[in-house]
Amino acid sequence: MRILLIEDNQRLRKFVREGLKLEGMAVDHFGTAREGMAAITTVSYDAAILDLGLPDGDGMEVLRQARSQGVQAPVLVLTARDGIKDRVDGLNAGADDYLTKPFAMEELLARLKALMRRPGSALGATLELANIRFDTIAREVQIAGKVISIPRRELDLLEHLLRRAGRVVPKQWLEDELYAYGDEVSSNSIEVAIHRLRKRLDGANASAHIHTLRGVGYLIQA
Ligand code: CA
């Protein structure tokens, strides 16, 4: 999962970033409205966390503009303001939820996960293909009824492939989805993860297989 964090307070940004990383999320983080706006309109994020008071503008304006440009990612607004008017304005501008500072990391995570699980979003379902069953909320995979353990990065990879089962998923797209800016990604990171995941699935007698289309990407099919 790839999250955008726009918050100008460096300490808070670090705190939130670390908390999200511990949950296995890839985080792109910025401290200005300008950078945040550029990121939210160019990358397809699973969710964004947006501070309202930014040094070069109002987060509310970022939100309004992003929505007007068709950005659909759920947005959780962070603010020190507690007025009802701000809350209403934020929701009107397209925020999905609101969190007033100070907050506990647990609460932020719970709210964020709830936003990403909303019906209608691509997340939160059980994915099934042949004898593979992936519960995307519990992050648990069963093959032929048996739970198999899969490391987090490979799990994310499998989820992306299953959501597009039978279709080619470009390698570059997977790289963008699984790694944040600044993560160290070697040229064969995805290949290595695919290789391991394929061995794991075959070893558990999965009746769907991952195919490589050299130079293009990957697809999973029964
Ligand atoms: Ca601020």
Side-chain angles (χ1 to χ4, degrees):
M1 256 172 278
R2 190 164 174 183
I3 310 292
L4 173 64
L5 170 63
I6 308 173
E7 165 63 64
D8 62 314
N9 181 307
Q10 286 194 28
R11 245 188 59 218
L12 183 57
R13 192 163 76 225
K14 184 160 186 280
F15 167 74
V16 172
R17 195 178 77 217
E18 298 299 324
L20 297 176
K21 275 189 170 175
L22 283 175
E23 292 288 305
M25 299 175 186
V27 185
D28 292 337
H29 52 96
F30 302 98
T32 62
R34 187 183 54 79
E35 293 168 302
M37 189 62 206
I40 201 170
T41 51
T42 50
V43 178
S44 164
Y45 290 100
D46 294 297
I49 300 168
L50 174 66
D51 179 33
L52 290 187
L54 296 167
D56 60 334
D58 195 327
M60 209 91 90
E61 199 43 48
V62 172
L63 183 58
R64 217 172 268 123
Q65 281 189 39
R67 291 297 187 227
S68 77
Q69 292 186 32
V71 172
Q72 290 183 351
V75 173
L76 176 67
V77 156
L78 297 183
T79 183
R81 311 167 195 177
D82 194 21
I84 288 174
K85 184 179 181 304
D86 283 324
R87 203 169 292 222
V88 171
D89 285 351
L91 296 172
N92 281 343
D96 296 272
D97 199 1
Y98 212 97
L99 198 53
T100 304
K101 298 174 191 175
F103 53 84
M105 193 62 210
E106 288 73 22
E107 185 174 10
L108 183 140
L109 283 171
R111 300 273 194 102
L112 195 63
K113 286 179 180 174
L115 286 184
M116 294 193 290
R117 255 182 232 141
R118 276 191 185 168
S121 105
L123 292 141
T126 298
L127 308 171
E128 282 183 88
L129 178 68
N131 63 358
I132 302 175
R133 196 184 147 84
F134 188 154
D135 178 336
T136 60
I137 295 171
R139 310 297 296 161
E140 182 186 272
V141 175
Q142 290 186 13
I143 295 179
K146 256 192 251 162
V147 175
I148 67 162
S149 118
I150 299 180
R152 194 148 57 200
R153 190 84 80 185
E154 289 168 49
L155 210 52
D156 289 345
L157 196 52
L158 179 61
E159 178 172 358
H160 286 301
L161 293 174
L162 284 175
R163 288 197 186 284
R164 293 159 191 80
R167 287 187 279 160
V168 179
V169 185
K171 186 179 162 202
Q172 183 60 53
W173 187 87
L174 286 170
E175 258 172 31
D176 292 346
E177 284 291 313
L178 297 180
Y179 301 93
Y181 290 131
D183 275 1
E184 286 208 22
V185 190
S186 69
S187 60
N188 67 346
S189 297
I190 295 283
E191 277 154 58
V192 170
I194 287 275
H195 175 75
R196 291 192 181 136
L197 178 60
R198 185 184 278 138
K199 265 176 73 178
R200 239 178 267 282
L201 296 182
D202 291 348
N205 292 318
S207 51
H209 304 277
I210 299 172
H211 303 275
T212 302
L213 287 94
R214 211 157 286 287
V216 183
Y218 306 92
L219 105 162
I220 191 166
Q221 62 185 11

